[in-house]
Amino acid sequence: MLKFLKQVGDYAKETAQAARYIGQGLSVTFDHMQRRPVTVQYPYEKLIPSERYRGRIHFEFDKCISCEVCVRVCPINLPVVDYEFDRASKKKNLKHYSIDFGVCIFCANCIEYCPTNCLSATEEYEMSTYDRHELNYDNVAMGRLPYKVTQDPMVTPLRELAYLPKGVTDPHDLPPGSRRAGLRPEEIVEQMEPTEAEKEEETAKNA
Ligand code: SF4
Ligand code: SF4
């Protein structure tokens, strides 16, 4: 008898637990039913990549001095710097430069360490091809500037999360002047500038 009662008790406990879990799951469902969808209708709508997005690398041929620093700092020694050494001028003449973006991990080490700043990260992220060998970009392909989402007349640019005001997750129908969460780099620099009173105090101290 006791065993039977214990079984009934366990069964009732498990039923109550299952009902609680179903309730928890449904509460999430009902909560989402109140919200607007945040779907981006790609390719008619596209998100504006954030300021420090590391997309396809841009290369400026004329600035490159063939030092191969980019190759040494790359975790997979990826950039190919093809140059000829000119004995008369004792300089390296760059002939070709290429990076295979099918292998690149977009860590931006090469960009960070290039002494002449001839490499830079663009906001281009649409690089899909049917043949992976087409991702091996030469200096001509890398010299092309990307098409900006905001300048494409065929596309509705949407602000991504970094640009949305605090608490907003839906980039649709946002008034153009709405402030984004967080500060822009130039606003941070502006905040760091000393105020007039601080400047006067500093001058008085130095006098
Ligand atoms: S580090 Fe910069 S300058 Fe040097 S080879 Fe690479 S791209 Fe050219
Ligand atoms: S981004 Fe990183 S992986 Fe790609 S070429 Fe530069 S250093 Fe190499």
Side-chain angles (χ1 to χ4, degrees), residues 17-33:
Q17 209 172 35
R20 205 175 67 235
Y21 291 153
I22 290 170
Q24 278 175 354
L26 283 176
S27 71
V28 175
T29 309
F30 289 135
D31 183 33
H32 277 264
M33 279 168 74

PDB file of all heavy atoms in Angstrom, residues 17-33:
ATOM      1  N   GLN A  17       5.701  19.232 -12.156  1.00  0.00           N
ATOM      2  CA  GLN A  17       6.970  19.747 -12.712  1.00  0.00           C
ATOM      3  C   GLN A  17       6.844  19.966 -14.228  1.00  0.00           C
ATOM      4  O   GLN A  17       7.248  21.001 -14.753  1.00  0.00           O
ATOM      5  CB  GLN A  17       8.065  18.725 -12.422  1.00  0.00           C
ATOM      6  CG  GLN A  17       9.433  19.362 -12.295  1.00  0.00           C
ATOM      7  CD  GLN A  17      10.430  18.335 -11.809  1.00  0.00           C
ATOM      8  OE1 GLN A  17      10.338  17.150 -12.162  1.00  0.00           O
ATOM      9  NE2 GLN A  17      11.352  18.764 -10.998  1.00  0.00           N
ATOM     10  N   ALA A  18       6.235  18.945 -14.907  1.00  0.00           N
ATOM     11  CA  ALA A  18       6.063  19.046 -16.367  1.00  0.00           C
ATOM     12  C   ALA A  18       5.174  20.239 -16.712  1.00  0.00           C
ATOM     13  O   ALA A  18       5.464  20.990 -17.655  1.00  0.00           O
ATOM     14  CB  ALA A  18       5.454  17.757 -16.902  1.00  0.00           C
ATOM     15  N   ALA A  19       4.107  20.439 -15.912  1.00  0.00           N
ATOM     16  CA  ALA A  19       3.199  21.564 -16.172  1.00  0.00           C
ATOM     17  C   ALA A  19       3.939  22.892 -16.003  1.00  0.00           C
ATOM     18  O   ALA A  19       3.746  23.841 -16.770  1.00  0.00           O
ATOM     19  CB  ALA A  19       2.014  21.499 -15.216  1.00  0.00           C
ATOM     20  N   ARG A  20       4.849  22.941 -14.986  1.00  0.00           N
ATOM     21  CA  ARG A  20       5.613  24.177 -14.760  1.00  0.00           C
ATOM     22  C   ARG A  20       6.515  24.469 -15.961  1.00  0.00           C
ATOM     23  O   ARG A  20       6.613  25.581 -16.448  1.00  0.00           O
ATOM     24  CB  ARG A  20       6.431  24.037 -13.475  1.00  0.00           C
ATOM     25  CG  ARG A  20       6.731  25.398 -12.874  1.00  0.00           C
ATOM     26  CD  ARG A  20       7.429  25.353 -11.535  1.00  0.00           C
ATOM     27  NE  ARG A  20       8.771  24.833 -11.596  1.00  0.00           N
ATOM     28  CZ  ARG A  20       9.208  23.809 -10.871  1.00  0.00           C
ATOM     29  NH1 ARG A  20       8.409  23.186 -10.048  1.00  0.00           N
ATOM     30  NH2 ARG A  20      10.451  23.405 -10.968  1.00  0.00           N
ATOM     31  N   TYR A  21       7.200  23.407 -16.477  1.00  0.00           N
ATOM     32  CA  TYR A  21       8.104  23.599 -17.627  1.00  0.00           C
ATOM     33  C   TYR A  21       7.320  24.050 -18.858  1.00  0.00           C
ATOM     34  O   TYR A  21       7.769  24.909 -19.614  1.00  0.00           O
ATOM     35  CB  TYR A  21       8.866  22.307 -17.929  1.00  0.00           C
ATOM     36  CG  TYR A  21       9.887  21.945 -16.869  1.00  0.00           C
ATOM     37  CD1 TYR A  21      10.259  20.631 -16.649  1.00  0.00           C
ATOM     38  CD2 TYR A  21      10.480  22.947 -16.083  1.00  0.00           C
ATOM     39  CE1 TYR A  21      11.197  20.310 -15.680  1.00  0.00           C
ATOM     40  CE2 TYR A  21      11.407  22.626 -15.104  1.00  0.00           C
ATOM     41  CZ  TYR A  21      11.757  21.312 -14.897  1.00  0.00           C
ATOM     42  OH  TYR A  21      12.666  21.000 -13.944  1.00  0.00           O
ATOM     43  N   ILE A  22       6.148  23.452 -19.076  1.00  0.00           N
ATOM     44  CA  ILE A  22       5.327  23.852 -20.238  1.00  0.00           C
ATOM     45  C   ILE A  22       4.930  25.319 -20.092  1.00  0.00           C
ATOM     46  O   ILE A  22       5.002  26.107 -21.038  1.00  0.00           O
ATOM     47  CB  ILE A  22       4.077  22.938 -20.369  1.00  0.00           C
ATOM     48  CG1 ILE A  22       4.509  21.539 -20.797  1.00  0.00           C
ATOM     49  CG2 ILE A  22       3.089  23.505 -21.385  1.00  0.00           C
ATOM     50  CD1 ILE A  22       3.420  20.485 -20.738  1.00  0.00           C
ATOM     51  N   GLY A  23       4.562  25.687 -18.871  1.00  0.00           N
ATOM     52  CA  GLY A  23       4.182  27.092 -18.597  1.00  0.00           C
ATOM     53  C   GLY A  23       5.333  28.033 -18.884  1.00  0.00           C
ATOM     54  O   GLY A  23       5.156  29.081 -19.517  1.00  0.00           O
ATOM     55  N   GLN A  24       6.556  27.625 -18.462  1.00  0.00           N
ATOM     56  CA  GLN A  24       7.733  28.471 -18.703  1.00  0.00           C
ATOM     57  C   GLN A  24       7.967  28.645 -20.201  1.00  0.00           C
ATOM     58  O   GLN A  24       8.208  29.745 -20.688  1.00  0.00           O
ATOM     59  CB  GLN A  24       8.970  27.833 -18.067  1.00  0.00           C
ATOM     60  CG  GLN A  24       9.080  28.118 -16.581  1.00  0.00           C
ATOM     61  CD  GLN A  24      10.253  27.364 -15.952  1.00  0.00           C
ATOM     62  OE1 GLN A  24      10.906  26.553 -16.610  1.00  0.00           O
ATOM     63  NE2 GLN A  24      10.494  27.621 -14.680  1.00  0.00           N
ATOM     64  N   GLY A  25       7.874  27.517 -20.939  1.00  0.00           N
ATOM     65  CA  GLY A  25       8.087  27.579 -22.393  1.00  0.00           C
ATOM     66  C   GLY A  25       7.057  28.466 -23.064  1.00  0.00           C
ATOM     67  O   GLY A  25       7.393  29.307 -23.905  1.00  0.00           O
ATOM     68  N   LEU A  26       5.799  28.306 -22.668  1.00  0.00           N
ATOM     69  CA  LEU A  26       4.731  29.098 -23.292  1.00  0.00           C
ATOM     70  C   LEU A  26       4.836  30.586 -22.947  1.00  0.00           C
ATOM     71  O   LEU A  26       4.498  31.440 -23.755  1.00  0.00           O
ATOM     72  CB  LEU A  26       3.360  28.558 -22.867  1.00  0.00           C
ATOM     73  CG  LEU A  26       2.928  27.276 -23.584  1.00  0.00           C
ATOM     74  CD1 LEU A  26       1.612  26.778 -23.031  1.00  0.00           C
ATOM     75  CD2 LEU A  26       2.804  27.495 -25.090  1.00  0.00           C
ATOM     76  N   SER A  27       5.356  30.876 -21.731  1.00  0.00           N
ATOM     77  CA  SER A  27       5.496  32.296 -21.366  1.00  0.00           C
ATOM     78  C   SER A  27       6.482  32.988 -22.317  1.00  0.00           C
ATOM     79  O   SER A  27       6.283  34.129 -22.720  1.00  0.00           O
ATOM     80  CB  SER A  27       5.939  32.445 -19.911  1.00  0.00           C
ATOM     81  OG  SER A  27       7.276  32.029 -19.785  1.00  0.00           O
ATOM     82  N   VAL A  28       7.550  32.256 -22.723  1.00  0.00           N
ATOM     83  CA  VAL A  28       8.504  32.823 -23.695  1.00  0.00           C
ATOM     84  C   VAL A  28       7.795  33.030 -25.035  1.00  0.00           C
ATOM     85  O   VAL A  28       7.931  34.071 -25.685  1.00  0.00           O
ATOM     86  CB  VAL A  28       9.737  31.894 -23.862  1.00  0.00           C
ATOM     87  CG1 VAL A  28      10.661  32.406 -24.955  1.00  0.00           C
ATOM     88  CG2 VAL A  28      10.497  31.764 -22.550  1.00  0.00           C
ATOM     89  N   THR A  29       6.995  32.028 -25.442  1.00  0.00           N
ATOM     90  CA  THR A  29       6.270  32.136 -26.718  1.00  0.00           C
ATOM     91  C   THR A  29       5.330  33.342 -26.699  1.00  0.00           C
ATOM     92  O   THR A  29       5.335  34.151 -27.635  1.00  0.00           O
ATOM     93  CB  THR A  29       5.447  30.854 -26.955  1.00  0.00           C
ATOM     94  OG1 THR A  29       6.295  29.738 -26.787  1.00  0.00           O
ATOM     95  CG2 THR A  29       4.850  30.835 -28.346  1.00  0.00           C
ATOM     96  N   PHE A  30       4.562  33.479 -25.628  1.00  0.00           N
ATOM     97  CA  PHE A  30       3.598  34.591 -25.553  1.00  0.00           C
ATOM     98  C   PHE A  30       4.316  35.942 -25.511  1.00  0.00           C
ATOM     99  O   PHE A  30       3.868  36.922 -26.090  1.00  0.00           O
ATOM    100  CB  PHE A  30       2.684  34.428 -24.334  1.00  0.00           C
ATOM    101  CG  PHE A  30       1.702  33.297 -24.503  1.00  0.00           C
ATOM    102  CD1 PHE A  30       1.471  32.385 -23.489  1.00  0.00           C
ATOM    103  CD2 PHE A  30       1.010  33.133 -25.711  1.00  0.00           C
ATOM    104  CE1 PHE A  30       0.576  31.331 -23.659  1.00  0.00           C
ATOM    105  CE2 PHE A  30       0.113  32.089 -25.890  1.00  0.00           C
ATOM    106  CZ  PHE A  30      -0.105  31.185 -24.866  1.00  0.00           C
ATOM    107  N   ASP A  31       5.480  35.952 -24.820  1.00  0.00           N
ATOM    108  CA  ASP A  31       6.259  37.193 -24.748  1.00  0.00           C
ATOM    109  C   ASP A  31       6.689  37.619 -26.154  1.00  0.00           C
ATOM    110  O   ASP A  31       6.604  38.778 -26.534  1.00  0.00           O
ATOM    111  CB  ASP A  31       7.478  36.959 -23.852  1.00  0.00           C
ATOM    112  CG  ASP A  31       8.288  38.223 -23.674  1.00  0.00           C
ATOM    113  OD1 ASP A  31       7.669  39.300 -23.666  1.00  0.00           O
ATOM    114  OD2 ASP A  31       9.526  38.136 -23.556  1.00  0.00           O
ATOM    115  N   HIS A  32       7.155  36.641 -26.973  1.00  0.00           N
ATOM    116  CA  HIS A  32       7.611  36.965 -28.332  1.00  0.00           C
ATOM    117  C   HIS A  32       6.449  37.353 -29.245  1.00  0.00           C
ATOM    118  O   HIS A  32       6.663  38.072 -30.222  1.00  0.00           O
ATOM    119  CB  HIS A  32       8.404  35.790 -28.923  1.00  0.00           C
ATOM    120  CG  HIS A  32       9.829  35.793 -28.482  1.00  0.00           C
ATOM    121  ND1 HIS A  32      10.846  36.332 -29.232  1.00  0.00           N
ATOM    122  CD2 HIS A  32      10.386  35.367 -27.328  1.00  0.00           C
ATOM    123  CE1 HIS A  32      11.980  36.215 -28.567  1.00  0.00           C
ATOM    124  NE2 HIS A  32      11.733  35.635 -27.415  1.00  0.00           N
ATOM    125  N   MET A  33       5.242  36.877 -28.918  1.00  0.00           N
ATOM    126  CA  MET A  33       4.079  37.234 -29.748  1.00  0.00           C
ATOM    127  C   MET A  33       3.759  38.728 -29.633  1.00  0.00           C
ATOM    128  O   MET A  33       3.134  39.312 -30.506  1.00  0.00           O
ATOM    129  CB  MET A  33       2.866  36.402 -29.327  1.00  0.00           C
ATOM    130  CG  MET A  33       2.899  35.007 -29.946  1.00  0.00           C
ATOM    131  SD  MET A  33       1.716  33.919 -29.210  1.00  0.00           S
ATOM    132  CE  MET A  33       0.201  34.527 -29.897  1.00  0.00           C
TER     133      MET A  33
END
